[in-house]
Amino acid sequence: MSTSGSQILFLGELPFWLKICQSILEAPASSFQFSRALSLTDAIRRLNGEQWHALLLDLSHPSAQELLAARKLHDGLESLPIVALLPISDPQFHEAAAQAGAASSLLLSELNVASLQHALVTAINTETLRNSSRKASPMSFPFETQSSDRLPANKLDAISHAVNNLLCVISANADIITDQLDATHSATRSLTQIKKATKNASDLIRLLKTP
């Protein structure tokens, strides 16, 4: 798939945006055009009103986490290619990105012109193949055709994945903050409780999906 003139929307923290800007300066002839959303509200407004070819989401940014988690519940976002930008190489960040359907991911420390373009091309091509598979599948039905009064299984899965993604990100951020604090710091106990709460919530979601 050609990426010529592809419009890319970024939502995240300043360190990632500065690296993206640097890559723009190093490759002014790039086929990608980047814009930064100032908030979750701004991102949703622009996604609804403008045409975009991919999303760059910084998983250290709460608004980007919410947008990633809501992806499968929003008609206009489900088929939009997403590159997850990871602040550190943490398994929980990788798991959250993969479960939410991010087509590729990229670490802040590895972000440069070549890696950014490669991640975007990979994401766009991967999502193109996914969309083709969805259209070709005879078992794909829109939610509106469901006659049952209960929540469709595929929508329940989407909500469960979205909540699990948020829980993974919350737990990962708690781990990061814990590592930066002294063991005697008063906030350490609260962070431990946050991690226990996210695990309990994840267990409840699994029970919800158990027949």
Side-chain angles (χ1 to χ4, degrees):
M1 175 182 175
S2 173
T3 58
S4 178
S6 294
Q7 299 294 319
I8 312 299
L9 185 63
F10 167 78
L11 179 60
E13 301 286 359
L14 189 59
F16 268 115
W17 181 241
L18 291 176
K19 281 223 170 185
I20 292 170
C21 290
Q22 182 181 352
S23 74
I24 295 172
L25 292 175
E26 293 176 1
S30 170
S31 59
F32 296 108
Q33 303 295 319
F34 298 92
S35 296
R36 185 187 185 193
L38 301 179
S39 64
L40 176 60
T41 300
D42 183 43
I44 292 175
R45 177 185 61 79
R46 298 183 69 177
L47 287 167
N48 287 333
E50 304 170 36
Q51 183 178 6
W52 301 95
H53 298 88
L55 270 172
L56 284 171
L57 297 180
D58 169 12
L59 292 196
S60 66
H61 188 58
S63 293
Q65 296 165 14
E66 292 174 22
L67 188 58
L68 181 63
R71 176 177 181 260
K72 292 186 177 181
L73 307 179
H74 192 295
D75 291 340
L77 290 181
E78 187 176 3
S79 61
L80 188 64
I82 290 180
V83 175
L85 302 173
L86 312 179
I88 59 173
S89 182
D90 186 288
Q92 290 180 310
F93 277 122
H94 285 286
E95 181 182 355
Q99 287 187 353
S104 62
S105 59
L106 186 60
L107 286 172
L108 174 61
S109 60
E110 298 176 353
L111 199 158
N112 55 41
V113 177
S115 64
L116 181 58
Q117 292 191 355
H118 176 74
L120 284 167
V121 170
T122 298
I124 291 172
N125 289 341
T126 298
E127 200 58 49
T128 298
L129 291 174
R130 286 178 181 172
N131 290 336
S132 297
S133 297
R134 292 188 193 110
K135 292 176 182 178
S137 173
M139 298 302 293
S140 298
F141 299 100
F143 292 156
E144 291 76 16
T145 62
Q146 298 285 342
S147 58
S148 173
D149 291 334
R150 65 187 181 86
L151 197 65
N154 49 355
K155 192 166 187 178
L156 177 61
D157 287 341
I159 294 172
S160 299
H161 277 307
V163 175
N164 271 322
N165 291 339
L166 287 175
L167 293 173
C168 286
V169 173
I170 291 169
S171 183
N173 277 285
D175 285 335
I176 293 170
I177 297 171
T178 300
D179 291 341
Q180 296 173 348
L181 296 176
D182 185 89
T184 60
H185 195 284
S186 59
T188 303
R189 178 177 172 79
S190 296
L191 289 167
T192 300
Q193 294 302 316
I194 289 173
K195 289 188 284 186
K196 287 182 179 178
T198 56
K199 183 181 184 304
N200 290 339
S202 181
D203 291 340
L204 287 172
I205 291 171
R206 280 195 290 272
L207 286 174
L208 178 66
K209 296 174 64 178
T210 301

